[in-house]
Amino acid sequence: MVFFNYFCFISLVSAVVFALDKYKAKHAKWRIPEATLHMLEAAGGVLAVLALMYTIRHKNAKFSYYSITYLILAAWLVALFLLQKYVL
């Protein structure tokens, strides 16, 4: 249950920060660094960011960004598979 709550929380934080970066991009304001966005993805918010990437159309055309995002997703899938197979 703790892991579920953590992933809900980090997904919500990631979604808010990602949407805020989209808002700042549209209004020519100071942007959130991509490293911060990737850090939130790696912390567990990658699914929320991927969902928003295509629904609000933010950073989905920038190969250097979305390629790292998909690598983070692949790492999470491998980690969850190994966790399920060897730990649970």
Side-chain angles (χ1 to χ4, degrees):
M1 188 65 172
V2 173
F3 291 117
F4 178 76
N5 290 338
Y6 169 76
F7 283 114
C8 288
F9 174 75
I10 198 67
S11 293
L12 180 63
V13 170
S14 299
V16 168
V17 171
F18 195 75
L20 181 62
D21 187 54
K22 168 71 175 193
Y23 173 83
K24 289 181 174 200
K26 287 180 75 171
H27 293 88
K29 296 188 178 208
W30 174 83
R31 303 282 302 278
I32 296 166
E34 287 184 0
T36 302
L37 299 175
H38 287 311
M39 180 194 65
L40 288 169
E41 294 167 8
V46 68
L47 293 176
V49 168
L50 276 171
L52 280 176
M53 190 183 298
Y54 296 102
T55 55
I56 66 174
R57 291 190 231 159
H58 185 49
K59 297 204 178 275
N60 62 337
K62 188 173 182 185
F63 179 78
S64 64
Y65 183 83
Y66 73 76
S67 61
I68 294 172
T69 300
Y70 278 105
L71 285 174
I72 292 170
L73 175 63
W76 266 105
L77 292 175
V78 168
L80 290 174
F81 173 77
L82 293 174
L83 179 71
Q84 174 262 325
K85 185 171 182 165
Y86 294 111
V87 177
L88 300 176

